Amino acid sequence: MPETTATEGVRKLLAEHRQEHLLTFWPQLREDQQGSLLAQVQELDLPTIRDWVEHLVTGQPQPPIQHDFVPAPSYPPQPRDASEERKYVQAIELGTQRISQGKVAALTVAGGQGTRLGFDGPKGSFSISPIRKKTLFRIFAETIAAVSRRYGAVCPWYVMTSPLNHEQTLAIFKADDFYGLDPRNVLIFQQGTLPNFSLDGRILLAEKDQIARSPDGHGGCIRALARSGALADMKKRGVEYLTYWQVDNPLVRLFDPLFVGLHVLDGAQMSSKAVIKNGPKEKVGNFCLVDGKVTVIEYSDLPDELAGKRRPDGSLAFQLGSIAIHIINRTFVEHLNTKGHTLPLHRAVKKIPYIDPQGRRVEPKEPNGVKLESFIFDAIPLAERSIILEIVRGEQFAPVKNATGEDSAEATHRMMIERAAVWLESAGVKVPRKPDGSPDCILEIAPSFALDAEDIPAKRDQIPPIKPGDEVYLA
Ligand code: UTP
């Protein structure tokens, strides 16, 4: 395509925003490639991008405004007194009712790139269960099927992907026959993407005719739910609440009646589960109250003196860590979309492959660019009310983030086996343990067998005696 007045206009506009390099390879491109690149460039909101560059990419991000923040209140895993106990009983009844009425649906965010795990494929297709090697997606699907049976309700499942893994995810669900779920109740939708930048604020090219882009963060689900039609689908089905979790946590307790019930009883719009942090600087967000609103402060933004502050009983003052498990009202997501609330963007400096000015593809060894993302927890302070339910870590949180070490598949494995052991022991089953206390056997409990420890006693007679070194799969 020869240079036309239209492309000249675009070139000029790009130059005004210091992004003229995007057309560097224009003369070398085929006509269809030129058309595609032009369309990508025309989609860029250049004034907004300039603002991002100034404030998030080249400019030093503003330090967080120093509000007075105090630890957020929470509900404990077990009620502390008789009145709380009455509330928990009422909450469980209410939560059970809402789930049975089909008013609760599942939302998994699975659009991330999973770079730390280094697994080739959507993270949901990573196999994690100790014996059957079930994938994360399969474990969630089996859980949803078991919940659906237990409550006699349809439990729709919304799965957010990104353009980087959407087709692959769809193909996996299809190849696995939607893990036995009715495909009409599984909606796989895509989140948006944002351009990637060099450290000096230039948009990177992934190919000569392609702008480098990455998913816009798990916070992107707020917009994507609306744009994809998922919100409208929920409304049509009468779904009022979303049980939200991240694709990397196989221990998550979905459709938790207590959590749903407390959220509903307290009239909240977005609520969270939390763990007690395992140290002052554990790399999880901290639940605080900022100007009276529940807010997650990133571990890097919590001043050391506050992170280390202790109560008279020795516990951390800021002890509640965010684990990305929420209940979100459908009407709250609608409200955020119609009121045009945009979640703030955060910068992450990463290794981003790109095409250099000579047209060579570069696979950087060191971080060379900036990706921008929004985080779901930034929606919490926009809610009028928000509650926090503290949970026991080993029961509900074991994220697979890294290839080795902390939060690795191996660590998650161990936690899955340990949880199964604890459930069995709570029903009086003898589980052999090693001198260091860890189970001396490999255990796997299918969601169809038990969704929680309370399901075990009724199945007691189906559990064989467990000897040291045994592998026991219960389904
Ligand atoms: P992480 O922050 O762990 O990111 O996402 P990640 O992309 O999976 O892994 P790394 O950082 O590249 O190693 C937490 C959850 O949020 C989802 C992920 O799929 C995961 O379930 N997520 C993240 C999205 O759905 N979209 C995004 O843009 C980012």
Side-chain angles (χ1 to χ4, degrees), residues 78-386:
Q78 298 298 328
R80 283 164 288 210
D81 53 36
S83 105
E84 206 160 59
E85 185 163 355
R86 280 195 296 278
K87 185 160 187 182
Y88 276 38
V89 169
Q90 200 190 349
I92 291 171
E93 258 174 42
L94 191 61
T96 302
Q97 189 198 67
R98 292 293 195 270
I99 299 167
S100 311
Q101 290 167 335
K103 290 185 190 274
V104 186
L107 169 61
T108 315
V109 287
Q113 294 176 284
T115 33
R116 283 170 289 170
L117 185 60
F119 169 66
D120 188 19
K123 220 192 220 185
S125 62
F126 186 75
S127 81
I128 190 68
S129 79
I131 296 173
R132 291 299 171 101
K133 311 292 175 215
K134 291 177 189 172
T135 64
L136 289 154
F137 281 144
R138 180 174 290 281
I139 293 172
F140 302 139
E142 289 186 8
T143 304
I144 290 169
V147 168
S148 184
R149 271 195 304 276
R150 180 194 268 188
Y151 297 97
V154 172
C155 302
W157 186 15
Y158 299 88
V159 182
M160 184 173 85
T161 62
S162 68
L164 280 74
N165 65 14
H166 183 74
E167 290 308 326
Q168 244 182 319
T169 305
L170 262 186
I172 289 165
F173 269 77
K174 282 187 188 148
D176 281 328
D177 216 3
F178 287 74
Y179 310 100
L181 295 173
D182 182 341
R184 285 171 301 184
N185 298 326
V186 181
L187 283 97
I188 304 178
F189 67 101
Q190 294 190 60
Q191 67 178 114
T193 57
L194 290 171
N196 299 153
F197 299 88
S198 63
L199 294 171
D200 65 353
R202 304 295 185 118
I203 295 173
L204 292 168
L205 282 171
E207 301 292 343
K208 289 178 179 176
D209 62 340
Q210 207 183 315
I211 288 175
R213 304 183 72 96
S214 55
D216 58 359
H218 36 66
C221 71
I222 298 291
R223 221 159 160 214
L225 281 167
R227 290 194 167 183
S228 64
L231 262 189
D233 182 79
M234 282 172 213
K235 193 167 182 181
K236 202 170 73 204
R237 292 169 184 265
V239 167
E240 290 179 16
Y241 311 97
L242 285 166
T243 169
Y244 168 108
W245 78 100
Q246 300 189 332
V247 73
D248 50 27
N249 180 16
L251 289 194
V252 64
R253 182 172 298 171
L254 310 175
F255 297 87
D256 179 349
L258 173 64
F259 187 32
V260 174
L262 288 172
H263 169 90
V264 177
L265 270 182
D266 284 0
Q269 290 81 47
M270 176 164 176
S271 295
S272 314
K273 283 187 176 175
V275 288
I276 300 295
K277 288 181 349 186
N278 59 22
K281 291 303 248 178
E282 184 181 352
K283 291 182 177 169
V284 287
N286 293 272
F287 281 110
C288 302
L289 282 185
V290 177
D291 301 332
K293 293 278 191 184
V294 175
T295 305
V296 173
I297 302 289
E298 285 189 81
Y299 67 93
S300 47
D301 291 338
L302 187 69
D304 285 353
E305 67 276 15
L306 291 184
K309 198 169 151 190
R310 296 203 180 255
R311 300 197 181 104
D313 67 0
S315 62
L316 290 170
F318 289 88
Q319 62 173 356
L320 296 175
S322 171
I323 50 173
I325 299 177
H326 304 285
I327 300 283
I328 310 174
N329 291 4
R330 170 182 52 80
T331 49
F332 180 57
V333 181
E334 286 168 358
H335 167 81
L336 293 179
N337 277 289
T338 50
K339 293 285 172 218
H341 282 294
T342 46
L343 300 181
L345 291 174
H346 300 253
R347 88 200 287 259
V349 178
K350 302 252 177 169
K351 286 183 247 176
I352 308 172
Y354 67 102
I355 303 294
D356 74 7
Q358 286 70 44
R360 294 170 302 212
R361 185 174 169 81
V362 182
E363 298 280 346
K365 301 258 178 309
E366 297 299 325
N368 64 313
V370 173
K371 291 185 178 181
L372 299 176
E373 287 188 324
S374 65
F375 297 154
I376 189 65
F377 57 71
D378 281 324
I380 301 173
L382 303 174
E384 265 171 45
R385 278 194 60 72
S386 173

Side-chain angles (χ1 to χ4, degrees), residues 1 3 11 14 19-35 37-38 41 203-211 354-362:
M1 204 190 288
E3 194 88 7
R11 201 180 276 282
L14 284 172
Q19 303 294 354
E20 67 285 359
H21 63 284
L22 292 177
L23 299 185
T24 304
F25 306 106
W26 184 265
Q28 302 172 22
L29 299 180
R30 292 190 314 264
E31 204 163 311
D32 59 321
Q33 292 173 315
Q34 290 179 336
L37 181 61
L38 196 60
V41 168
I203 295 173
L204 292 168
L205 282 171
E207 301 292 343
K208 289 178 179 176
D209 62 340
Q210 207 183 315
I211 288 175
Y354 67 102
I355 303 294
D356 74 7
Q358 286 70 44
R360 294 170 302 212
R361 185 174 169 81
V362 182

